[in-house]
Amino acid sequence: MALRIISRHLLQKPAAWRYSTAAFPSSPQAKCQEYERPLMKTTVPGPKSQALKRELSAIQHSDAVKFFCDFSASRGNYLVDADGNRMIDLLTQISSIPLGYNHPALIEILQDPENMSTFVNRPALGILPPLDIVRLISESLLLVAPRGLRQVQTMACGACSNENAFKAVFFWYRNKQRGGSASHEDLESSMLNQMPGSPDLSILSFNGGFHGRTLGCLSCTHSKAIHKVDVPAFDWPIAPFPHLRYPLDEFTAENAHEESRCLEQVEEQIEAYSRRGRPVAGIVVEPIQAEGGDNHASPDFFRRLRGLATKHGCALICDEVQTGCGATGRFWAHEYWNLDSPPDVVTFSKKMLTGGFFFKDELRPDASYRIFNTWMGDPTKVLLLHAVLRVIREKHLLEGTQRAGVVLLRGLTQLQEQYSNLLSEARGQGTFCAVTVRDQKTCDNLLTSCLNKGVVLSGCGERSIRFRPALIFTEQHANIFLEIFDSVLAECK
């Protein structure tokens, strides 16, 4: 049944796309010659990667670097490193490569002479946009706009998308409070970081959430201490995110109780901060807590959270930076919730190639320069997104993601049963999957062993392995991975 769940935007009927066929001209049928399997020549990192890391370390901190990539040799689902090791990539540059490596549709965009100006001249979009920017946005972002959200603002990355979404919410909330735009007193006091121009407002976030590493976003990020330590934080409320048992449909009663407990805490925090004179202007939440451990909640949880936001006059900000653009099998993960009223803001980046946020009309800024920076995104990324969306539609990649996700999750569940001393809590939507490992040391060892057998993966949360393949990941690729993972688990002591 899961295989038939299809995206409102991309797969139900052409009319849902709100496009003319001229908006997506057919591309030449060039094919990416993908490799058949991983091929390892050295352990990872190999000697060339190690030498490059020493050179990089001389000029910047590089302890987080795993290995250096040969992107020109990489193809489709396979990433090649500096030492010629060919690995199947289930991380995809932290969930940000939509069509795999060197996809011909994207190469074609760069090779088209008509696109030269877009790549050579990066405009300050807020004041001097290119003449074709309305067409570019209309034929890409607006085609996949979440239901009920007609406004969109491009940005450079996920963190600045969330940061500016918070600002838009604060502007909206203050305009509601005072019944109009900023007064002279507001303007003057803001220059001194004082009220009323610098209001004491807050954003409610959840334990385990990750929303970026800029200052405002860090106050809403609660996944790892290393992200936050030594950085001043706002006194903003933090609510518990449900800690559920998997699979969700086998533990409905106890999971519902846990979700109710968390929602009660949400409302208590909203009311408590209002009494303290620091009202909650917005609630930010991920459909699946990605960095925090791939933590899920039910559609009912999010529907009730939407109700609480409405009840208390807060904006609901849905952070789809990692879940957006089809990884869960629907274009937007929040489509699974079947909300009566959509989120007020939906932020995006990663697989969308451009950052930004969609928002309701009433959150539109009331003056110039309120949401502003030099670039406010990059038209080249919107141009590439245009091609990505065409391929998603023409190749039915959301349906493919659903099929591949069924194979991947079924395989993880079977391995969990076979290696119950090592794995538990296999979970996921589409190919946006994860499995919990018995302890952090074992998790790290499994990731290292997988890498040296030709699989690029990453951990998340305290001791989980997450899977973030490209949208071109198929059942065949899932089976290649599962075969290798089985051998790694068999060797684990």
Side-chain angles (χ1 to χ4, degrees):
M1 185 169 64
L3 298 183
R4 305 309 305 161
I5 299 174
I6 53 181
S7 170
R8 174 180 63 82
H9 298 291
L10 300 179
L11 298 172
Q12 280 187 343
K13 53 177 78 171
W17 265 67
R18 307 185 300 282
Y19 73 99
S20 67
T21 54
F24 288 91
S26 296
S27 62
Q29 297 302 308
K31 293 184 178 179
C32 176
Q33 297 298 317
E34 190 180 60
Y35 304 108
E36 292 185 1
R37 291 187 63 86
L39 177 64
M40 303 303 291
K41 298 179 179 180
T42 73
T43 56
V44 181
K48 291 183 179 179
S49 276
Q50 293 180 43
L52 287 167
K53 186 170 180 177
R54 286 193 293 270
E55 293 180 21
L56 183 61
S57 294
I59 57 175
Q60 65 179 234
H61 193 278
S62 58
D63 285 0
V65 172
K66 306 300 182 186
F67 56 87
F68 287 75
C69 305
D70 183 352
F71 289 111
S72 63
S74 302
R75 296 286 185 276
N77 290 281
Y78 288 88
L79 177 62
V80 177
D81 75 357
D83 292 274
N85 295 303
R86 180 200 310 159
M87 297 161 278
I88 189 167
D89 189 356
L90 279 79
L91 177 61
T92 58
Q93 309 298 316
I94 317 179
S95 193
S96 62
I97 305 292
L99 302 180
Y101 296 101
N102 289 303
H103 194 282
L106 302 188
I107 292 174
E108 182 185 5
I109 294 295
L110 275 76
Q111 292 176 337
D112 187 343
E114 292 188 6
N115 296 329
M116 185 67 69
S117 174
T118 304
F119 283 93
V120 170
N121 305 294
R122 186 174 183 182
L125 281 176
I127 55 171
L128 298 168
L131 57 86
D132 61 349
I133 192 65
V134 175
R135 178 184 62 81
L136 283 176
I137 291 175
S138 297
E139 294 180 358
S140 57
L141 288 165
L142 292 185
L143 295 183
V144 293
R147 180 181 63 85
L149 306 186
R150 301 184 301 176
Q151 301 285 316
V152 65
Q153 177 60 64
T154 53
M155 283 289 162
C157 68
C160 63
S161 300
N162 283 327
E163 194 84 21
N164 282 280
F166 296 168
K167 287 171 59 180
V169 166
F170 290 142
F171 300 158
W172 162 80
Y173 194 88
R174 281 293 289 146
N175 283 345
K176 284 198 309 175
Q177 281 185 322
R178 63 184 167 228
S181 300
S183 66
H184 177 75
E185 182 186 8
D186 291 322
L187 297 173
E188 290 294 315
S189 58
S190 71
M191 298 302 291
L192 301 173
N193 297 339
Q194 295 176 0
M195 295 180 66
S198 295
D200 208 355
L201 301 177
S202 62
I203 300 288
L204 183 144
S205 56
F206 290 88
N207 277 322
F210 181 93
H211 303 286
R213 302 168 196 256
T214 50
L215 278 173
C217 290
L218 269 182
S219 291
C220 296
T221 288
H222 316 288
S223 51
K224 289 186 174 68
I226 196 63
H227 299 149
K228 296 171 64 72
V229 65
D230 297 331
V231 180
F234 294 113
D235 179 11
W236 289 355
I238 308 166
F241 192 82
H243 183 72
L244 303 186
R245 297 189 63 186
Y246 304 97
L248 299 182
D249 57 4
E250 293 184 12
F251 300 96
T252 53
E254 55 198 283
N255 285 344
H257 182 270
E258 167 67 1
E259 290 184 340
S260 292
R261 181 189 71 84
C262 293
L263 288 166
E264 289 173 4
Q265 288 290 309
V266 168
E267 187 156 34
E268 288 178 9
Q269 291 275 39
I270 292 172
E271 293 172 347
Y273 269 72
S274 179
R275 289 192 297 269
R276 290 172 54 182
R278 187 167 293 167
V280 174
I283 300 170
V284 63
V285 67
E286 301 162 272
I288 300 171
Q289 285 192 327
E291 296 288 334
D294 270 35
N295 306 313
H296 291 246
S298 73
D300 183 65
F301 173 83
F302 293 106
R303 286 192 290 266
R304 294 169 66 188
L305 184 65
R306 165 75 276 183
L308 285 177
T310 301
K311 175 183 176 180
H312 292 280
C314 314
L316 180 62
I317 308 163
C318 182
D319 180 347
E320 292 245 28
V321 167
Q322 197 159 146
T323 53
C325 200
T328 66
R330 296 195 182 185
F331 198 88
W332 301 108
H334 76 267
E335 292 177 35
Y336 284 103
W337 304 345
N338 296 316
L339 297 175
D340 291 332
S341 176
D344 299 287
V345 182
V346 175
T347 62
F348 58 86
S349 189
K350 291 193 179 287
K351 279 185 172 63
M352 293 288 283
L353 301 183
T354 178
F357 57 100
F358 296 98
F359 54 100
K360 289 183 176 177
D361 293 355
E362 53 264 37
L363 272 79
R364 183 182 175 112
D366 60 352
S368 303
Y369 297 100
R370 302 222 76 190
I371 301 293
F372 190 85
N373 56 51
T374 299
W375 285 325
M376 299 179 74
D378 184 345
T380 66
K381 304 305 182 185
V382 182
L383 187 63
L384 291 169
L385 175 63
H386 184 286
V388 168
L389 297 179
R390 173 175 55 78
V391 174
I392 290 174
R393 174 181 173 270
E394 290 181 354
K395 301 300 183 182
H396 306 290
L397 294 187
L398 296 192
E399 287 180 323
T401 295
Q402 292 163 19
R403 290 192 297 269
V406 168
V407 173
L408 179 58
L409 186 55
R410 181 189 298 133
L412 290 172
T413 302
Q414 291 171 350
L415 290 173
Q416 171 182 299
E417 294 170 356
Q418 184 177 351
Y419 301 99
S420 58
N421 62 320
L422 296 175
L423 304 179
S424 62
E425 298 185 321
R427 56 203 183 271
Q429 285 182 322
T431 56
F432 202 99
C433 295
V435 66
T436 299
V437 183
R438 68 183 178 192
D439 55 57
Q440 184 62 62
K441 182 179 179 180
T442 304
C443 184
D444 292 342
N445 289 340
L446 290 177
L447 292 172
T448 299
S449 296
C450 282
L451 186 59
N452 286 314
K453 284 182 177 286
V455 179
V456 182
L457 289 168
S458 175
C460 65
E462 294 182 357
R463 51 189 178 92
S464 290
I465 295 175
R466 58 176 160 175
F467 303 89
R468 301 291 189 268
L471 301 177
I472 59 168
F473 186 82
T474 67
E475 300 101 309
Q476 178 184 357
H477 297 108
N479 284 321
I480 290 172
F481 158 70
L482 291 167
E483 174 191 331
I484 296 172
F485 197 38
D486 187 3
S487 70
V488 167
L489 293 166
E491 296 171 0
C492 184
K493 303 298 183 183

